[in-house]
Amino acid sequence: MIDIQNYLNGTLQAARSGSYLDNVNPSIGEVYSRIPRSGKEDVDMAVEAAEEGFKVWSNMSKEARSNIMLKIADLIEANHAKLAEAESIDNGKPLKLAEHVDIPRAASNFRFFATAVLHFSSESHDMDGQFINYTLRNPIGIVGCISPWNLPLYLFTWKIAPALATGNVVIAKPSEVTPMTAYLLSELCIEAGLPKGVLNILHGLGGEVGAAITEHPKIKAVSFTGGTSTGAHIAKVAAPMFKKLSLELGGKNPNIIFDDCDFDKALSTTMRSSFANQGQICLCGSRVFVQRGIYEKFKTAFVEKTKHAKVSYPMDPEAKLGAVVSEDHMNKVLSYVDLAKEEGGTVLCGGKRKILEGEYANGYYIEPTIIEGLDHMCRTNQEEIFGPVVTITPFDTEEDALEMANSVEYGLASTIWTQDITKAHRVAAKIESGIVWINCWLVRDLRTPFGGVKNSGVGREGGLEALRFFTEPKNVCVSL
Ligand code: TXE
């Protein structure tokens, strides 16, 4: 049984409460580690440490900060296998996915922002030779980073890296459901020589230590990724305190497939965009809209491929889907399959818990599921399920597809499949989402603005957006 520790003021330590919470390995349904049950006391101590850390970190040169962050990136890469295995055990995802996506991206996040900040410039504005304005972009100070369980180290570092690169100090909270790689990152930060108090990682419950971070008056900005309802709650607390807020929330993303698509590419990519990470990626295309001319052909091929997508224990090299993250989440996802049937849907494949053999018999596995025959306004097509469950719906015209695609309260990502590039651009312009992929999915350039509209969040992460979120612009006007 591993008891993981908080990372506070440069050392690994228990929570003030001395109590722990169980952490379950979802592939076997058993407790395998414990996390500190941190609370307000720990946050108060972390803020004190961060205040001291800020004096050191914000006065270091960009290059010096960058070099330490590059060392962390190197250490993530040097510990790739250990981190990937830890991530797969903690989250339930296939080891291959953690190896190819989660851990490499965590290193990239540190590397990208460690170098981006060296090229982070600002503006000056000349007033006809009378005055000159210049803009300073200074670090905010102590910032809070709160992240979810679906891509644990990937999303944790996606927030921490730009915050640190711009000279801020961080109080970070990983999800209590997937704490392990954040803990391992703590050890790498110590090894890299990150000054004490600069990054503080506190483990515990969202409503306890998470809430304490959101509420602390000295934490001036909060970057959050998670559920829309939690995001709304955080906003309610932080807004009257005038904190800067970045909210990356849920999605219910449309995947629009026209008759004139590259059929094989659309099919193979739709398998990934539907079921990668067991459908637990906010960017997954959970509503598949297929134009009538190829609907039956696509549906048949999609169902056939899905029936053969192997659900297995995470270390199985053949696994296409692993376990979903927790028993609660498994039950939530399966409840939506029941709801879909009540709403008149037909389950074309999957729809049930998958019971594996032997030691994995108690793991949380769900068969990849495709459901057709639902109205686009029913709850199943309106609410985020966040599991290996998609609906498939035919459409006739471009207008029909857009009307259905835009009918949800979310607006995070979307995918368009057509070889008519004019139509692709026209649909992309009209779709209500922050991210549009045309004839591809999950292609990510870290310089691009990342985030959604409507109930998918507020603000953008990535590239300059992130560097600007974590700095305060100050305009100085000089009389000439
Ligand atoms: O998110 P939560 P969960 C969606 C998905 C999922 C739902 C809930 O639909 O089913 O959100 O998932 C911390 N103050 N997404 O439970 O609860 C919490 O401890 C401060 C989409 O993971 O939002 C965790 O660290 N913090 C999402 C983090 O917030 C609080 C990815 C996320 O937890 C808090 C994951 C509070 N009051 C889930 N309550 C995406 N967009 O990628 C909780 N937390």
Side-chain angles (χ1 to χ4, degrees), residues 305-319:
K305 258 184 175 294
T306 301
K307 281 178 175 172
H308 290 92
K310 188 176 183 182
V311 179
S312 186
Y313 59 95
M315 303 310 158
D316 179 351
E318 306 295 315

Side-chain angles (χ1 to χ4, degrees), residues 141-173:
I142 306 173
V143 301
C145 296
I146 300 174
S147 57
W149 48 254
N150 58 322
L151 299 162
L153 195 59
Y154 173 132
L155 290 175
F156 194 57
T157 54
W158 181 233
K159 295 175 182 303
I160 290 167
L164 293 178
T166 44
N168 297 283
V169 289
V170 178
I171 297 178
K173 185 210 170 298

Side-chain angles (χ1 to χ4, degrees), residues 409-450:
E409 64 182 26
Y410 295 101
L412 183 53
S414 51
T415 313
I416 300 165
W417 291 95
T418 175
Q419 298 187 84
D420 174 344
I421 203 65
T422 306
K423 173 164 64 177
H425 289 304
R426 189 172 58 239
V427 173
K430 292 178 185 166
I431 213 153
E432 294 167 2
S433 68
I435 301 158
V436 183
W437 281 291
I438 298 173
N439 299 330
C440 59
W441 179 70
L442 206 61
V443 174
R444 290 283 295 117
D445 180 322
L446 304 192
R447 294 171 296 178
T448 57
F450 179 87

Side-chain angles (χ1 to χ4, degrees), residues 62-103:
K62 282 190 179 63
E63 289 74 12
R65 292 202 296 263
S66 174
N67 287 335
I68 292 176
M69 290 180 66
L70 290 171
K71 218 176 285 176
I72 294 171
D74 291 343
L75 287 169
I76 290 173
E77 286 163 350
N79 289 273
H80 173 265
K82 178 181 176 185
L83 289 165
E85 185 186 27
E87 198 73 292
S88 176
I89 290 169
D90 216 16
N91 171 277
K93 68 180 71 196
L95 177 60
K96 272 192 177 316
L97 186 65
E99 286 173 341
H100 294 137
V101 174
D102 294 70
I103 305 310

Side-chain angles (χ1 to χ4, degrees), residues 4-6 35-38 174 179 182-183 201-205 209:
I4 73 173
Q5 301 292 294
N6 286 338
I35 76 170
R37 182 169 189 167
S38 308
Y183 168 60
I201 299 175
L202 301 180
H203 295 272
L205 298 173
V209 66

Side-chain angles (χ1 to χ4, degrees), residues 444-463:
R444 290 283 295 117
D445 180 322
L446 304 192
R447 294 171 296 178
T448 57
F450 179 87
V453 296
K454 304 199 291 188
N455 288 16
S456 288
V458 175
R460 294 293 185 273
E461 296 183 298

Side-chain angles (χ1 to χ4, degrees), residues 147-150 173 175-176 206 210 224 227 230 233 249 282 332 384:
S147 57
W149 48 254
N150 58 322
K173 185 210 170 298
S175 171
E176 57 276 30
F224 170 78
T230 308
H233 174 80
L249 307 178
C282 54
K332 169 185 171 183
E384 184 178 49

